[in-house]
Amino acid sequence: MAKSTRIALLSVVVAVLSVLGFVAPSQAAPPGRIDPRPSTAELARKLDELQGRSHGAIEVAAIGKSNQGRPVWSARVGDGPLRVLYVTQQHGDEPLGTPAALEFLREVGVGQSRYQRWLRSQVTVDIVVRANPDGHELNWRYNYAPDAAPDYGAAGKGYDINRYHDPAVAPENNPATEAGLIQRHYTEFQPQIVVDYHMQGRYAGGGGREITASLMWPTNPGVTPSNLELAKQISVVAQRSMTDGGANVSQYPGGDYRGIARNAYGLRGSGSVLIELSDMGPQHEQAQIDSALRSMLAIVRSAADGSLGTIDPADADAIPPRGEPIPQAAAAGTHAD
């Protein structure tokens, strides 16, 4: 789609939303503009810069390569006993978790304040930054595997990576290359907490306010009660932190398929959560990056200081359900976990 056509379509969508009475919540944007879609080369440069500026606090390494030979990067910060894994951009056209991850690394890893040193002594955070670099370059949901006939994906394009994390499938047998890399990385890292960042379409919420993000814990019945409770506690912390920044957060109506990351890593023993940022257009991207960053920081802080364990898991059930797609806005693009 040409840039002029996209701008015109966005203008129509904004006008329609105003007429229909859906109000985008007023969210705080971070100071200074953050690149919402750093290129593959720029992402590598930014990670290298952060590693250098951290003086050893941040370690960057490739966990493998995509089908087109691009590195899939891991960035690790901290050396504490509690381990947290964030994953961004499994779907290549859902980018905003990736710049939020870079800002998280900057805030936690670059600097030697007393608080930063304390936080890094309590937790080890590993981020798979842009799990699907080929999909990012191609601006589509899938990885690059045009010869595949995937059960989940698109023939002639590739696999939907977030359907190929089933614990019963060994990484070496995983047809979705990048999902296999994440599986191996999970086994090596053994995190207690996993949070997977995606993007969704635009949806109505209660009171005429648009939903800015949705989240969900594992829904597969095989997840143990203790892992489910932890995931709900994480969800509450994320929801509250995003709401404090002006977000309007709902539950995500996801399924129970074992191959979805939030279910798969819940089955493997982690508190596993999906966070979906709404794709609200360029004028909201900076605020959405800030919203994701708030959740990343809050989850780690609450894990480090022990307040996560004081959250009542039942509070997650009180997070409102997501409403219906907003007319016309839905035509501009749809996403699913």
Side-chain angles (χ1 to χ4, degrees):
M1 185 184 295
K3 182 177 180 181
S4 59
T5 304
R6 287 200 302 271
I7 293 171
L9 180 58
L10 285 168
S11 300
V12 171
V13 169
V14 169
V16 169
L17 297 183
S18 300
V19 170
L20 292 175
F22 294 113
V23 179
S26 177
Q27 293 176 272
R33 186 180 182 279
I34 296 169
D35 185 353
R37 296 170 183 79
S39 68
T40 298
E42 182 66 7
L43 178 62
R45 189 194 68 77
K46 286 177 180 290
L47 288 170
D48 183 65
E49 175 196 15
L50 287 166
Q51 180 173 239
R53 290 180 60 197
S54 76
H55 301 290
I58 298 171
E59 297 179 0
V60 177
I63 63 171
K65 290 187 176 181
S66 68
N67 285 341
Q68 288 191 311
R70 297 183 175 94
V72 177
W73 296 110
S74 154
R76 189 170 296 186
V77 60
D79 55 7
L82 198 150
R83 297 190 160 215
V84 179
L85 177 64
Y86 292 143
V87 180
T88 74
Q89 216 172 338
Q90 283 202 72
H91 296 144
D93 58 353
E94 299 175 10
L96 298 187
T98 293
L102 293 173
E103 292 306 304
F104 173 88
L105 292 166
R106 190 184 317 278
E107 291 209 17
V108 175
V110 177
Q112 293 294 327
S113 73
R114 183 176 179 182
Y115 178 76
Q116 286 172 309
R117 286 184 283 111
W118 171 81
L119 188 61
R120 296 196 295 258
S121 75
Q122 300 301 306
V123 296
T124 303
V125 183
D126 193 289
I127 310 178
V128 178
V129 188
R130 186 174 287 158
N132 183 3
D134 295 350
H136 171 82
E137 291 295 326
L138 294 162
N139 194 31
W140 68 35
R141 177 182 180 89
Y142 316 102
N143 76 346
Y144 178 79
D147 295 331
D151 292 331
Y152 298 95
K157 290 186 174 181
Y159 295 95
D160 182 336
I161 295 171
N162 199 29
R163 295 297 181 275
Y164 290 88
H165 296 274
D166 189 334
V169 178
E172 60 269 21
N173 297 324
N174 196 323
T177 298
E178 297 81 0
L181 296 178
I182 297 169
Q183 285 181 310
R184 285 194 186 93
H185 195 59
Y186 176 94
T187 299
E188 178 269 323
F189 188 52
Q190 290 294 299
Q192 291 99 325
I193 292 171
V194 178
V195 186
D196 184 24
Y197 284 85
H198 288 256
M199 293 180 68
Q200 62 181 359
R202 301 183 73 168
Y203 295 88
R209 292 183 76 221
E210 183 174 350
I211 295 297
T212 66
S214 301
L215 49 74
M216 184 48 68
W217 42 88
T219 51
N220 185 281
V223 175
T224 65
S226 61
N227 290 332
L228 178 58
E229 286 187 1
L230 176 56
K232 286 188 171 185
Q233 290 171 317
I234 297 162
S235 298
V236 172
V237 168
Q239 185 257 351
R240 290 175 178 171
S241 66
M242 297 167 90
T243 299
D244 285 346
N248 188 24
V249 183
S250 77
Q251 292 188 32
Y252 182 84
D256 63 1
Y257 178 60
R258 290 170 56 92
I260 296 171
R262 66 180 163 81
N263 290 322
Y265 298 114
L267 288 166
R268 292 187 66 173
S270 299
S272 180
V273 173
L274 163 78
I275 294 180
E276 297 260 358
L277 304 169
S278 297
D279 189 355
M280 300 171 67
Q283 70 271 33
H284 293 284
E285 286 180 339
Q286 298 299 304
Q288 291 292 67
I289 293 168
D290 181 68
S291 191
L293 173 61
R294 286 172 177 269
S295 70
M296 291 177 175
L297 291 168
I299 291 165
V300 168
R301 288 168 180 160
S302 68
D305 66 20
S307 60
L308 178 62
T310 69
I311 299 292
D312 184 351
D315 288 349
D317 298 313
I319 298 172
R322 194 180 71 182
E324 295 298 314
I326 294 175
Q328 279 72 47
T334 58
H335 306 268
D337 71 348

